[in-house]
Amino acid sequence: MINENLDGYGSNGSSGATPDKGPGPELMGAQTLTGDNVVNHADEHLGDIKEIMLDMRTGRVAYAVVAHGGLLTIGEKLFAVPWSALTLDTVNKRFVLNIDKEHFENAPGFDSDRWPDMADQTWVNEVHGYYNPKN
């Protein structure tokens, strides 16, 4: 669920923003999306957004880091999901990833204390190829 307790800047999508006034949902603060659920088209819970990674060269969002499994962060696995693979579901205030749950669970992932080098082109190609095989 979109975090509705963040700030008074109108970036949380619930501060009175209307389609012709305010930023949401076309423009939202990254913190408002942290903690949002990620599901697939079968409405299976895949995880929740832990972090949003920006490409500092282009100024664009590169990945959403999705946490899956575990209990209170113990045993959870993190996945860097290309931003382009996610669709915002504004009605249910969550993200949808077009992937089978089993395929997602087998995606390249990492532990919170061993992040990959997300600037490494080999890693980038592997992750994008996994989530966007046609690209």
Side-chain angles (χ1 to χ4, degrees):
M1 185 157 121
I2 293 176
N3 187 342
E4 296 181 353
N5 300 315
L6 267 178
D7 60 36
Y9 299 111
S11 63
N12 65 8
S14 67
S15 62
T18 61
D20 57 342
K21 260 177 110 173
E26 291 83 17
L27 185 65
M28 299 177 79
Q31 281 187 320
T32 65
L33 304 174
T34 304
D36 280 6
N37 290 323
V38 178
V39 299
N40 64 12
H41 285 293
D43 207 29
E44 295 172 307
H45 180 74
L46 300 177
D48 57 278
I49 295 181
K50 289 291 184 187
E51 191 69 66
I52 294 177
M53 305 302 293
L54 302 176
D55 181 331
M56 298 308 292
R57 294 166 295 173
T58 65
R60 296 177 189 254
V61 175
Y63 303 98
V65 176
V66 177
H68 174 77
L71 181 64
L72 300 173
T73 71
I74 298 171
E76 76 181 357
K77 187 174 179 183
L78 301 177
F79 301 90
V81 177
W83 192 251
S84 60
L86 294 165
T87 303
L88 178 62
D89 175 356
T90 57
V91 172
N92 296 301
K93 298 181 180 179
R94 62 188 183 181
F95 284 89
V96 178
L97 177 61
N98 187 16
I99 194 170
D100 292 330
K101 188 171 186 174
E102 184 178 334
H103 190 65
F104 176 74
E105 290 172 342
N106 292 315
F110 55 97
D111 296 322
S112 62
D113 58 348
R114 298 191 73 189
W115 282 57
D117 177 0
M118 293 183 174
D120 176 57
Q121 195 58 48
T122 302
W123 181 87
V124 170
N125 292 342
E126 177 186 7
V127 169
H128 281 269
Y130 195 87
Y131 290 101
N132 301 312
K134 296 176 185 166
N135 291 343

